[in-house]
Amino acid sequence: MTGPVRPSVREIETPGGPGRAHVCAPPGPRGTVVLGHGAGGGLGAIDLAIAREVLVGAGWAVVLVEQPWLVAGRRVAGRPPTLDAAWVPIVEALLTGRGRLPRPLVVGGRSAGARVACRTAGPLEADSALLLSFPLHPPGQPDKSRAHELALAPDPSWVVQGTSDAFGTPEEVRPHLPAGATLLEVGGAHSFPKGSRSALTEALTTVAGMLPG
């Protein structure tokens, strides 16, 4: 276990404008976890905060990434291709050059950020993924499945899903898990409430103990 780590912020240019990487790296990290936010909010989500706290405590460098649309102050996320086009150079910049962070690389995020991580895991040669509230389908529209994106998650991966998530309950997600994926259920909806803190901490502590690195 490590003590408190002061975050640093890097602004990284992308085809869609500058993105922002909030880096928490303990001395001699075991590897790097890069997490993106959802389409409707920033980095203040409880699951992202707990993931950073738990994983940094377990010796991982953790980076929370703000997509360029959020950095620019826009309220609506861009289309998936623009999110991917920004995410890839941000992650590549974190892993190269002076001050580069080490592999193994764990990609992930919450909701739309989890989708981006799945779609780009192959090109980035990610070793594993941490997917928080994966949005399997829009609320009330199970016919518009995103299972094809979840199928792109690397082996191993972990999916932390709320039991009452309108974007896909654990029961809906489970049949679509790719090889090597583990599903962890946490009480709560798509955006976890404060009351889920203890269960989220337990689930993410479990993930931290299983990450290869």
Side-chain angles (χ1 to χ4, degrees), residues 50 54 184 186 196-208:
I50 293 175
V54 169
L184 297 94
V186 173
S196 296
R197 172 173 289 277
S198 177
L200 280 169
T201 300
E202 182 178 352
L204 288 162
T205 299
T206 297
V207 173

Side-chain angles (χ1 to χ4, degrees), residues 129 131-134 150 157-163 165 168-178 180-186 192 203 206-207 210:
L131 311 174
L132 307 168
S133 295
F134 186 87
L150 181 58
S157 291
W158 291 266
V159 182
V160 180
Q161 203 77 3
T163 53
D165 192 333
T169 64
E171 289 72 23
E172 291 177 289
V173 171
R174 188 172 286 108
H176 301 290
L177 291 174
T182 300
L183 179 65
L184 297 94
E185 300 184 28
V186 173
F192 292 105
T206 297
V207 173
M210 299 172 69

